Amino acid sequence: MEILHTPEELREFRKKLQGSVGFVPTMGALHQGHLSLIEMARRENDNVIVSIFVNPTQFLPGEDYTRYPRRTEADLEICRRAGVDGVFLPKISDIYQSNDEVTLKAPKIKGYILEGHFRPGHFDGVLQIVNKLFNLTAPTRAYFGRKDAQQLYLIKQMVRDLFLDIEIREGETIREPDGLAMSSRNIYLSPEERKRALTISKALKRGAKLSYKIKDVNRLRAEMEKVLDIDQLQYIAFVNREFEPIEEVEHGNTIILIAGKVGNTRLIDNLYI
Ligand code: AMP
């Protein structure tokens, strides 16, 4: 496995690769969720590249950028064992060479609802970094998790709108045995908070189950709120696969999303039903 520190090193490495390239962008602190994407990329491609970069432009002022977990050695070991060919580990100054650069803007509606409403500008930063990484890795396929459903949707839209020649592949959300969606941020949770964080996936399961009897999303939302025990609920939303708000559940074309805070930790989760 090669470790590539600069864009130039990555480009040189990429030039030598033969066959298809699967790319998995991450912010590190790798867990089973990331690993499932890496394994999918491994199965589907001749070569696999993983990037590990905590991207400053997708964090808002006051968010957890400085304390976001960084575990490079453990991450590299996970990549090695998973048969990754190249890991891109750039420095911020190699990625952002000027503070007045050409930028991408997330779409006005779908980039600024839900996550975009609570984290305005977040998706601009996500699209900016993913586009840069796509240009450097020139992948055949790129892998994203449904855990970040709105991000996945917007990346697919970027690929379509900017005519990028990349196939976007999506991975199911990987959960702890008790249902908590895996996230690098789960390590912020105290044992007591973790117990309450579990009510997020419980509420989603309850919503999904009840949706076979109750189609109305307002009634479903009320039922879900009954089991939630978190400190600040930011949203329970029902959208179709195009991220348009819906009033009634349509199975096969609905995503139920929850965001909220447990203590100081902001968590998101969703279910495709
Ligand atoms: P991150 O390191 O949080 O930026 O995530 C990198 C990629 O892993 C993104 O495509 C995420 O959607 C995906 N991911 C994160 N957590 C999970 C999970 N629990 N299950 C599946 N994919 C995940």
Side-chain angles (χ1 to χ4, degrees), residues 59 63-68 70:
F59 288 80
E63 288 188 347
D64 56 343
Y65 173 68
T66 46
R67 64 184 193 118
Y68 196 84
R70 287 158 172 90

Side-chain angles (χ1 to χ4, degrees), residues 24-37 51 53 58 68 143-149 151-152 155 171-176 180-185:
V24 186
T26 81
M27 298 206 299
L30 301 182
H31 50 65
Q32 291 294 325
H34 300 111
L35 188 58
S36 71
L37 295 175
S51 65
F53 181 63
Q58 71 189 69
Y68 196 84
Y143 294 77
F144 294 86
R146 283 184 164 184
K147 163 75 170 40
D148 300 283
Q151 165 176 287
L152 168 64
I155 284 164
E172 293 294 332
T173 298
I174 304 299
R175 299 176 180 281
E176 302 283 358
L180 184 71
M182 290 199 183
S183 163
S184 306
R185 291 190 165 98

Side-chain angles (χ1 to χ4, degrees), residues 26 41 45 65-66 91 98 102 121 127 154 162 166 197 231 252 264:
T26 81
N45 299 278
Y65 173 68
T66 46
K91 285 203 308 251
S98 127
V102 175
L127 297 181
L154 290 170
L162 303 185
I166 298 168
D231 296 305
N264 289 322

Side-chain angles (χ1 to χ4, degrees), residues 128-147:
Q128 185 78 0
I129 186 62
V130 171
N131 192 40
K132 283 177 188 256
L133 293 170
F134 280 178
N135 291 329
L136 288 171
T137 49
T140 317
R141 302 182 184 86
Y143 294 77
F144 294 86
R146 283 184 164 184
K147 163 75 170 40

Side-chain angles (χ1 to χ4, degrees), residues 81-262:
R81 289 197 192 165
V84 170
D85 300 290
V87 176
F88 183 43
L89 262 183
K91 285 203 308 251
I92 295 177
S93 55
D94 282 331
I95 294 293
Y96 294 104
Q97 301 175 71
S98 127
N99 51 20
D100 185 25
E101 63 173 20
V102 175
T103 55
L104 282 177
K105 270 260 163 268
K108 282 192 280 299
I109 298 172
K110 290 171 191 172
Y112 284 85
I113 57 169
L114 304 175
E115 285 306 282
H117 173 77
F118 286 93
R119 305 182 73 189
H122 166 68
F123 288 122
D124 300 348
V126 168
L127 297 181
Q128 185 78 0
I129 186 62
V130 171
N131 192 40
K132 283 177 188 256
L133 293 170
F134 280 178
N135 291 329
L136 288 171
T137 49
T140 317
R141 302 182 184 86
Y143 294 77
F144 294 86
R146 283 184 164 184
K147 163 75 170 40
D148 300 283
Q150 194 176 355
Q151 165 176 287
L152 168 64
Y153 176 84
L154 290 170
I155 284 164
K156 284 187 189 164
Q157 186 177 344
M158 175 173 80
V159 163
R160 197 173 62 228
D161 291 352
L162 303 185
F163 302 104
L164 305 183
D165 189 14
I166 298 168
E167 183 186 346
I168 301 301
R169 303 279 294 134
E170 44 193 275
E172 293 294 332
T173 298
I174 304 299
R175 299 176 180 281
E176 302 283 358
D178 60 9
L180 184 71
M182 290 199 183
S183 163
S184 306
R185 291 190 165 98
N186 290 349
I187 59 150
Y188 300 150
L189 300 168
S190 71
E192 184 272 334
E193 288 171 342
R194 194 193 175 287
K195 262 192 208 149
R196 290 191 295 116
L198 204 53
T199 63
I200 295 176
S201 58
K202 289 215 172 105
L204 286 168
K205 268 191 229 149
R206 180 175 167 87
K209 193 168 163 211
L210 289 175
S211 70
Y212 289 92
K213 285 196 298 197
I214 306 172
K215 295 269 173 283
D216 179 80
V217 303
N218 293 322
R219 285 182 57 205
L220 282 173
R221 186 182 293 110
E223 289 296 330
M224 291 169 66
E225 280 178 17
K226 285 183 195 163
V227 297
L228 269 181
D229 180 17
I230 62 176
D231 296 305
Q232 187 201 342
L233 173 61
Q234 295 186 331
Y235 59 80
I236 294 179
F238 292 77
V239 298
N240 63 21
R241 298 284 208 268
E242 293 301 312
F243 263 86
E244 293 154 344
I246 53 169
E247 297 193 347
E248 294 208 328
V249 167
E250 184 196 342
H251 289 112
N253 188 25
T254 295
I255 312 172
I256 315 179
L257 305 122
I258 300 188
K261 281 188 164 183
V262 181

Side-chain angles (χ1 to χ4, degrees), residues 37-90:
L37 295 175
I38 294 171
E39 286 169 350
M40 200 191 315
R42 186 67 284 170
R43 285 194 299 275
E44 297 181 353
N45 299 278
D46 300 308
N47 307 278
V48 176
I49 299 177
V50 171
S51 65
I52 299 175
F53 181 63
V54 184
N55 173 40
T57 64
Q58 71 189 69
F59 288 80
L60 271 63
E63 288 188 347
D64 56 343
Y65 173 68
T66 46
R67 64 184 193 118
Y68 196 84
R70 287 158 172 90
R71 287 201 224 113
T72 309
E73 282 315 310
D75 289 349
L76 291 175
E77 191 50 35
I78 289 170
C79 289
R80 241 178 242 119
R81 289 197 192 165
V84 170
D85 300 290
V87 176
F88 183 43
L89 262 183

